[in-house]
Amino acid sequence: MWEISENPMRRLLLSLETTCDETAAAIIDSDRCVLASAVASQQQVHEPFQGVVPELAARTHLERIVPIVDQVLRQASVDPEMEIVAVAVATEPGLPGCLLVGLAAAKALCVAWNKPLINVNHVHAHIYACQFGRADNIFPCLGFVISGGHTNLYHCETADDWRYLGGTIDDAAGEAFDKVAAMLGLPYPGGPQLSKLANEGNEMALSLPRPMLADRSTLNLSFSGLKTAVRYHLVGPGKQDFSRLSLSHKQRADVAASVQRAVIDCIVGKAELALAKTGLQRLCIGGGVAANRRLRHELSSLAERRRVELILAPPELCTDNAVMGAIAWERIHRGDYAAMDIDIQPGLLRNR
Ligand code: KG4
Ligand code: ZN
């Protein structure tokens, strides 16, 4: 039904991302050349609450989505009707209100410009970020998405053939970083701050649990117990008030370093187990926590030890962005578009 024009104009994808607390848009060509990319962070909106407030996030996307699309179109001097070949949007998983804003905007643009729509799985897109800057295909690979909302392992046979192998049964790794950072009074979002503070601490200072790490029968992980263990260490059982904590800088750094070490041990341990179970020779890592320098270093050691290829998403494409929506090109090449009545899918579907 959709014909891609053979004119000498550029063939461009407009990609939108509104799954959580970043409003993002990007223009990418079929060679994965990024012509424009913009991310409007909602950090200031959610900072007073030390976490994402879903309704505020959705309303903020609503304010920002049109200006940010306008921004990338101008930045790349795009003639949408002539040069855009499809509009991609992340439709799963994510916060329902946030996903609805992105999908409604994408559908409206498709109708206005008479272009096809492509639904993108945000978690898959995080792994596809590893494809940037590489001429060779990253598939097949073991994909590990480590973010604020997800900590999932996949056998990725091709860009469209994913098998869920295991993941967190409660909190994501980024959530553990962010919540412990909040306990230590670090500004939101705490992951990057916690990792900075960890550089000054002793990672052996606290004895923290590594839930499920020793269980070789499963590729599942768990991080909520780690949060609780830190809370008990700081204020004791049953108490929630961290405002009167009087810790020295060194003591806070020790907590940060010990937590970072525990999270990294669990991630590296399960990645190693998954490599052993699947026999895959390539490990691709994406998601916000994959920006963590210590984690990147430990994963490099793992890859060397097991003699597998490690591909880390470029640091600037680890946290949420629309560039990674370029995974949609894999479907454009086949003419595999979404129906215009497609809905959002907020939950993580483990069968894909
Ligand atoms: O991928 P992302 O932007 O959003 C989700 O899809 O969840 O990930 C955000 C998460 C937050 O929890 C943030 O604290 C964490 O990634 N993060 C980090 C670092 N940079 C971002 N965690 C640890 N170390 C970092 N350097
Ligand atoms: Zn994400």
Side-chain angles (χ1 to χ4, degrees):
M1 170 187 178
W2 299 98
E3 278 189 16
I4 294 173
S5 69
E6 292 303 331
N7 67 33
M9 305 291 281
R10 298 172 298 180
R11 298 179 64 234
L12 306 174
L13 170 73
L14 169 65
S15 166
L16 306 182
E17 154 63 42
T18 61
T19 58
C20 187
D21 61 344
E22 324 276 5
T23 317
I27 307 278
I28 312 117
D29 76 10
S30 56
D31 295 324
R32 282 190 302 278
C33 175
V34 181
L35 283 83
S37 170
V39 180
S41 164
Q42 298 186 5
Q43 193 169 327
Q44 286 180 344
V45 175
H46 303 291
E47 195 164 12
F49 309 98
Q50 291 275 337
V52 178
V53 182
E55 185 175 340
L56 287 181
R59 287 174 186 268
T60 309
H61 286 308
L62 196 56
E63 280 172 20
R64 296 180 179 177
I65 190 73
V66 172
I68 210 163
V69 168
D70 196 41
Q71 183 184 334
V72 293
L73 290 175
R74 283 173 193 274
Q75 210 175 315
S77 304
V78 178
D79 174 343
E81 275 161 79
M82 293 297 283
E83 298 181 307
I84 297 289
V85 298
V87 178
V89 60
T91 53
E92 64 177 298
L95 297 170
C98 298
L99 293 170
L100 283 172
V101 174
L103 180 56
K107 285 186 180 183
L109 291 170
C110 287
V111 170
W113 298 334
N114 193 28
K115 305 292 175 185
L117 176 72
I118 307 220
N119 54 315
V120 165
N121 180 313
H122 175 76
V123 174
H124 296 184
H126 266 305
I127 295 298
Y128 196 76
C130 294
Q131 187 65 71
F132 278 83
R134 302 185 70 85
D136 55 326
N137 198 320
I138 63 167
F139 302 102
C141 68
L142 174 68
F144 203 167
V145 185
I146 314 163
S147 70
H150 303 281
T151 309
N152 305 339
L153 278 156
Y154 294 90
H155 179 142
C156 319
E157 194 54 41
T158 67
D160 308 290
D161 181 0
W162 296 65
R163 192 156 60 83
Y164 180 83
L165 299 172
T168 181
I169 58 165
D170 41 54
D171 295 334
E175 161 86 4
F177 273 121
D178 292 345
K179 287 288 150 40
V180 171
M183 291 179 207
L184 294 174
L186 296 170
Y188 169 87
Q193 309 281 339
L194 190 101
S195 91
K196 216 190 270 174
L197 184 59
N199 290 335
E200 301 167 55
N202 170 10
E203 62 185 23
M204 310 301 276
L206 270 69
S207 153
L208 295 172
R210 271 84 169 142
M212 307 186 82
L213 180 57
D215 185 351
R216 293 184 56 85
S217 71
T218 175
L219 290 171
N220 285 338
L221 303 98
S222 162
F223 293 104
S224 71
L226 188 56
K227 253 174 20 188
T228 311
V230 175
R231 182 160 64 82
Y232 281 15
H233 171 81
L234 294 175
V235 294
K239 303 214 177 81
Q240 300 278 1
D241 184 7
F242 300 94
S243 60
R244 275 170 292 178
L245 270 186
S246 59
L247 295 182
S248 67
H249 182 77
K250 177 72 174 82
Q251 284 171 316
R252 290 164 69 245
D254 283 350
V255 173
S258 302
V259 169
Q260 179 172 264
R261 175 83 252 171
V263 171
I264 291 175
D265 281 354
C266 295
I267 290 170
V268 172
K270 289 296 178 181
E272 182 156 23
L273 183 59
L275 287 168
K277 280 183 187 280
T278 59
L280 288 163
Q281 292 296 306
R282 194 179 291 126
L283 173 59
C284 290
I285 310 280
V289 179
N292 185 286
R293 290 176 66 177
R294 186 65 200 271
L295 174 64
R296 293 172 87 88
H297 174 78
E298 296 291 326
L299 287 165
S300 301
S301 306
L302 165 69
E304 241 171 71
R305 193 163 69 242
R306 288 201 66 91
R307 296 175 194 279
V308 298
E309 185 186 5
L310 173 68
I311 306 178
L312 296 158
E316 69 279 10
L317 296 184
C318 283
T319 46
D320 288 347
N321 64 83
V323 170
M324 62 195 190
I327 192 170
W329 272 112
E330 304 279 340
R331 284 175 47 200
I332 296 174
H333 292 316
R334 293 199 309 267
D336 177 14
Y337 302 119
M340 285 304 283
D341 63 353
I342 191 172
D343 199 356
I344 56 163
Q345 174 58 57
L348 178 74
L349 296 182
R350 294 208 162 81
N351 57 352
R352 57 179 173 178

